[in-house]
Amino acid sequence: MSPQMEPDLSVDIASVRLASPLIAASGTFGYGTEYVEVADYSAIGAIATKGLYLESREGCPPPRIWETPSGMLNAIGLQEIGVRRFIEEKMPRLRELAPAILVNICGSSLEEYGELAHILDSVEGVSGLEINISCPNVKQGGILFGCDPDLAARATEVVRNGTSLPVIPKLSPNVTDIAAIARRVESAGADAVSLINTIPAMAIDVETRRPRLANVVGGLSGPAIRPIAVRMVYQTAQAVGIPVIGIGGIGSAQDVLEFVIAGAAAVQIGTMNFVDPEVWTRTLEDLGDYCRRHQVASISELTGTLALEEEDS
Amino acid sequence: MYTAAQMKWDEIAVLVDRRLVSPDAVLLHFESSKLATHFVPGQFTMLRVPGDGSLLRRPYSFCGAEPEQGRFSLLVKVVGEGTRRLAELQLGQAVRCLGPLGSSFRPPQPKIRPIMVAGGVGIAPFVGFCQELARCRYRGTVLLGGRQAQDLYLKEDFERLGMTVRCTTEDGSWGPQGVVTDLLSELLDGGEPVCLYSCGPTGMLKRVSAMARDRGIPHQVSIERRMGCGMGCCLGCVVFTQIAGETNGQYRRTCTEGPVFDAEEICWERDPHPL
């Protein structure tokens, strides 16, 4: 490309074109409207909503969060308002704000996943469904679906049958072979996969010998988990033909590029938005600079371009 | 007074003055006209010191305001690495301050005497609040408790604002030996119509809440919780509440519905938080 040309930072995820490869990660951006005063939404490609069930949920007792080195431990337990209230109260404003909306759906049963897909299928402004089969902090559903290849595939299939929207299972890192699960959900009709959700983890106050979280175990996010996420995105991208969305401690263009080169078509930013709501604009600008410097016309050209040494022949 | 701030900014605030208020605490004055003129007493800001090893920002109550100079202050007690770095910030250095965040203290009804009950650094939000009370010609009482004399931060500032200040310490090194609720108990026995505002350790807040409830006295409480975002998204800072007319209670966010709550809405029995 010529140096004066603006690099194309848009990406395609299934049938959805995102103007920016940066997606707000579920559970870190509320119902999408909370950050409107301090984050530049034009730098955000899509917003993944807080995970939603059919009915509202109370969530885990506090304490719910604890900071660890370069990481944040949480056990929120999916406190949420239920899908109908979301559609009625949150969607009208979100529709105006968000360039694209991925509704994150959670089920305690396969039927619930199916019903959520059916309800959201006809809601104006929904761009796709992210299937939460990987929350470590709820007793039913969540990670149970994500750790079992059969259940992961069945949850995907049920959602696939309930909607014509793009379907994106969000995968758990708490598995032996993430690529195998990714292949199963791809066969079951997934249009893309997003990974990784938080890593089950815990911390203890040694003075009182109490767990730092009331739920005892929580999920770890933030830069601490990034290298694990990069590795899992790399393995998954090798295994599937559908787009991979990378998640895990991303807070800069450098971080985004690691995921993209490992095989991600787009990425999500979560914990690092808490630290700095300007992460969106700064990262997008820096991605543009990188593309110009490396004469890359479109960021999607970089997906899966890890340079490996040639084997000796 | 008391128009809740609607706007939020992530401001670069420059440290312009500092005052050592005790061997373990400093009052830091920052310049940011937006924050100084828009925060309402009781609200807070999320900040992180550059080069700090921690990841997340931490919440600090806005302390005093000098809106004409575009300045606000924060009271920082050194309790760990993050607060130490903040307290040692050099004049001219800047921190990003996200705010103003959360709810604020509502003013007393006419002819009702406001009583501020504070433990240790819980005094911080009452500086700005008493500035407003003084401006509106309220006469209030500040009850301040600490383990020892050096924990009675900023007591002279409240006297300068025309507030009646009474102090107590657990070791008896300043004022009568005891806890701040002892002072409150004596004062409430006087029978004057009052309303309560409290901020400090959870144990103290629970005792003040019980006293207010038993006597049917209005009580606003500012609570402190660990926070991830301060913006209402992470849901890490919740407290269990039940508001009048609500069938079941629910977890509400300290950063958004709080930090100032009507004390009667808080279900303390469901609050195991150690803070």
Side-chain angles (χ1 to χ4, degrees):
Chain A
M1 75 181 247
S2 61
Q4 63 270 35
M5 243 179 86
E6 270 305 297
D8 179 9
L9 298 177
S10 70
V11 294
D12 292 312
I13 301 295
S15 56
V16 187
R17 164 141 306 186
L18 307 181
S20 154
L22 313 177
I23 301 168
S26 177
T28 66
F29 218 70
Y31 298 108
T33 58
E34 289 85 343
Y35 270 95
V36 68
E37 289 153 311
V38 290
D40 179 0
Y41 280 45
S42 70
I44 301 175
I47 291 172
T49 68
K50 176 76 185 168
L52 290 158
Y53 286 82
L54 284 173
E55 305 299 334
S56 67
R57 288 172 61 97
E58 191 172 90
C60 292
R64 288 178 169 184
I65 57 171
W66 180 254
E67 184 173 326
T68 60
S70 297
M72 175 176 167
L73 198 51
N74 88 78
I76 309 301
L78 284 163
Q79 177 180 341
E80 51 84 48
I81 59 174
V83 72
R84 290 180 187 86
R85 262 188 74 193
F86 165 76
I87 293 166
E88 206 171 297
E89 296 173 20
K90 306 292 182 185
M91 269 306 284
R93 181 84 177 109
L94 185 52
R95 218 177 266 133
E96 295 172 2
L97 288 174
I101 300 165
L102 302 177
V103 179
N104 183 290
I105 57 171
C106 316
S108 312
S109 64
L110 286 170
E111 293 71 33
E112 187 167 9
Y113 281 112
E115 197 172 340
L116 284 161
H118 179 72
I119 290 169
L120 287 159
D121 183 59
S122 55
V123 174
E124 187 201 334
V126 176
S127 319
L129 303 182
E130 184 173 54
I131 318 176
N132 188 339
I133 50 170
S134 44
C135 178
N137 299 325
V138 291
K139 290 202 170 57
Q140 294 163 336
I143 204 165
L144 287 180
F145 286 95
C147 292
D148 180 318
D150 290 327
L151 282 176
R154 285 173 66 195
T156 305
E157 197 173 81
V158 166
V159 175
R160 171 77 293 151
N161 292 339
T163 183
S164 54
L165 291 165
V167 169
I168 308 168
K170 182 169 178 175
L171 305 183
S172 171
N174 198 33
V175 295
T176 313
D177 184 357
I178 197 163
I181 300 216
R183 274 193 296 268
R184 289 293 304 277
V185 298
E186 180 182 32
S187 307
D191 297 288
V193 285
S194 57
L195 62 136
I196 58 176
N197 205 321
T198 56
I199 298 178
M202 69 186 280
I204 298 167
D205 178 346
V206 297
E207 293 301 321
T208 61
R209 286 187 264 160
R210 285 171 184 271
R212 294 291 191 184
L213 303 177
N215 197 49
V216 185
V217 172
L220 184 64
S221 66
I225 71 168
R226 192 192 308 135
I228 299 171
V230 172
R231 184 263 297 177
M232 289 189 150
V233 163
Y234 175 64
Q235 291 174 325
T236 303
Q238 307 278 303
V240 297
I242 51 178
V244 175
I245 301 171
I247 320 166
I250 295 170
S252 70
Q254 168 109 9
D255 302 341
V256 173
L257 288 159
E258 271 200 79
F259 279 89
V260 168
I261 292 164
V267 298
Q268 296 187 4
I269 295 177
T271 305
M272 295 307 283
N273 172 64
F274 296 161
V275 178
D276 180 12
E278 281 188 6
V279 65
W280 308 100
T281 38
R282 195 187 60 241
T283 302
L284 201 63
E285 278 170 28
D286 292 350
L287 284 174
D289 288 347
Y290 178 92
C291 289
R292 277 185 288 273
R293 195 155 50 82
H294 288 265
Q295 309 227 318
V296 172
S298 164
I299 192 162
S300 56
E301 290 171 23
L302 292 168
T303 295
T305 55
L306 185 69
L308 296 171
E309 288 201 34
E310 308 241 332
E311 282 177 39
D312 293 335
S313 51
Chain B
M1 186 179 185
Y2 304 113
T3 43
Q6 296 295 314
M7 286 301 296
K8 294 172 186 143
W9 298 273
D10 193 10
E11 277 277 281
I12 296 169
V14 178
L15 183 68
V16 289
D17 198 11
R18 63 134 46 76
R19 186 177 117 209
L20 194 67
V21 298
S22 128
D24 67 349
V26 290
L27 189 66
L28 301 178
H29 294 263
F30 289 94
E31 202 164 77
S32 157
S33 59
K34 279 183 189 150
L35 295 178
T37 54
H38 286 85
F39 89 82
V40 186
Q43 291 192 297
F44 67 98
T45 179
M46 293 289 284
L47 63 85
R48 181 184 183 221
V49 182
D52 188 350
S54 64
L55 175 68
L56 299 168
R57 295 176 183 226
R58 295 289 188 272
Y60 290 87
S61 269
F62 283 108
C63 189
E66 303 148 88
E68 302 79 22
Q69 285 105 330
R71 293 177 174 191
F72 66 87
S73 63
L74 303 178
L75 177 63
V76 180
K77 179 187 177 182
V78 177
V79 293
E81 174 67 11
T83 45
R84 189 183 61 74
R85 292 188 72 108
L86 181 56
E88 289 176 356
L89 209 64
Q90 299 299 304
L91 296 186
Q93 281 189 297
V95 286
R96 278 204 174 268
C97 291
L98 182 60
L101 304 172
S103 63
S104 54
F105 294 118
R106 280 168 289 108
Q109 297 296 311
K111 301 195 175 148
I112 303 286
R113 185 180 187 87
I115 300 177
M116 280 58 70
V117 188
V121 276
I123 198 69
F126 292 134
V127 174
F129 187 54
C130 287
Q131 287 174 333
E132 291 294 317
L133 290 176
R135 213 167 56 80
C136 299
R137 303 190 184 286
Y138 279 98
R139 299 189 65 82
T141 300
V142 177
L143 306 181
L144 188 48
R147 284 203 188 88
Q148 49 191 339
Q150 71 171 51
D151 302 336
L152 305 173
Y153 310 111
L154 303 172
K155 53 185 182 300
E156 300 82 7
D157 295 45
F158 291 98
E159 281 161 0
R160 272 197 293 278
L161 289 167
M163 301 293 142
T164 304
V165 180
R166 297 187 61 196
C167 300
T168 180
T169 50
E170 286 171 35
D171 69 355
S173 57
W174 190 282
Q177 188 168 8
V179 292
V180 72
T181 39
D182 300 340
L183 298 178
L184 179 62
S185 179
E186 288 168 30
L187 211 144
L188 295 180
D189 289 342
E192 186 185 2
V194 298
C195 62
L196 302 182
Y197 300 87
S198 67
C199 184
T202 299
M204 183 202 97
L205 302 180
K206 287 182 181 179
R207 287 194 299 277
V208 176
S209 296
M211 292 165 75
R213 192 186 52 227
D214 291 349
R215 293 168 169 82
I217 297 170
H219 175 206
Q220 293 172 45
V221 59
S222 171
I223 66 171
E224 184 184 5
R225 288 295 178 273
R226 295 197 179 280
M227 287 184 186
C229 68
M231 295 288 289
C233 284
C234 76
L235 308 182
C237 64
V238 297
V239 59
F240 201 83
T241 56
Q242 186 164 15
I243 62 175
E246 206 175 29
T247 323
N248 298 305
Q250 58 176 293
Y251 285 115
R252 287 191 165 82
R253 300 162 294 185
T254 302
C255 71
T256 304
E257 285 80 38
V260 180
F261 290 93
D262 275 327
E264 62 192 23
E265 294 173 355
I266 295 183
C267 304
W268 293 110
E269 70 283 3
R270 287 194 55 170
D271 190 66
H273 210 280
L275 263 177

